[in-house]
Amino acid sequence: VSLGANQPTPTVLLEVKPAPAITGTVFFPSGERAAAVRVQAFGTVYTPLGTRPKSVMSVATDDLGDFRLFWLRHGEYRVSASYSERDQHVALPGLRVTPNLSKPDDGLPTLYYSNEYTLSQSQRIRLNRDTDSSGVQLFLRDGPRYTINLTLVPEGTCARVAVVAEGAFVNKTDFVN
């Protein structure tokens, strides 16, 4: 806007919409709200080898079990909740959790929205220009766990071992020389 001498300043209204967010609550199997749970949003990245999921944001639930994944771009996301000591350290780096919060022990398996154990089977959440996604509820529950005992014995050959959940997204070329 160019103004000459003694010209009134025009009023300009510029509307800026905030970036979308995904908000919700995580619950323990008992139905109580789950504090200090790691919640992640996964977006899709495009590579020469096809599409792949990528973690784009990770937050911890607050003392009421609520979370807010914010400043996300428009598009589709998958959301997970995981509860273990390792996930607490990742979601809350350098912070100490209050002593009255129970320890996760062995934790619970990662759960994806809506109540799936694998990312590929989870439901997508779509964010567009006009809407946030609020009220997402994740209910942690016990589920499949595996213990793997493995011994690699060097015998002059080279070996690579990959443990991947059934239905998980895997780029097989990552494991080939």
Side-chain angles (χ1 to χ4, degrees):
V1 176
S2 297
L3 298 175
N6 297 330
Q7 281 187 310
T9 305
T11 302
V12 177
L13 177 63
L14 180 63
E15 183 180 353
V16 178
K17 293 190 179 210
I22 299 172
T23 60
T25 307
V26 180
F27 297 91
F28 283 124
S30 63
E32 294 179 55
R33 290 171 173 250
V37 173
R38 183 180 182 198
V39 179
Q40 289 187 83
F42 294 87
T44 302
V45 294
Y46 299 91
T47 70
L49 301 171
T51 59
R52 295 180 65 173
K54 179 181 179 185
S55 176
V56 295
M57 180 171 280
S58 175
V59 297
T61 58
D62 64 14
D63 61 325
L64 297 176
D66 294 328
F67 67 90
R68 185 169 183 266
L69 297 157
F70 54 93
W71 289 107
L72 298 171
R73 294 176 183 227
H74 307 291
E76 291 184 342
Y77 295 90
R78 296 175 192 259
V79 175
S80 73
S82 48
Y83 183 66
S84 69
E85 284 191 50
R86 179 187 172 277
D87 286 309
Q88 282 182 343
H89 291 299
V90 171
L92 301 164
L95 294 178
R96 290 186 324 176
V97 178
T98 181
N100 64 349
L101 184 67
S102 62
K103 293 221 181 276
D105 300 322
D106 289 333
L108 293 166
T110 299
L111 195 71
Y112 299 89
Y113 180 74
S114 61
N115 292 322
E116 296 293 341
Y117 290 113
T118 62
L119 184 66
S120 63
Q121 293 177 334
S122 64
Q123 183 177 335
R124 292 182 178 104
I125 297 172
R126 177 172 262 308
L127 300 177
N128 61 40
R129 295 170 60 202
D130 299 322
T131 62
D132 287 346
S133 180
S134 60
V136 171
Q137 294 184 338
L138 294 159
F139 295 88
L140 296 172
R141 67 178 194 258
D142 207 358
R145 299 177 199 219
Y146 305 96
T147 301
I148 299 172
N149 294 315
L150 179 67
T151 303
L152 292 177
V153 180
E155 294 282 331
T157 60
C158 186
R160 289 186 183 192
V161 176
V163 179
V164 180
E166 182 180 355
F169 292 96
V170 177
N171 184 354
K172 293 179 183 177
T173 59
D174 288 345
F175 304 104
V176 179
N177 285 337

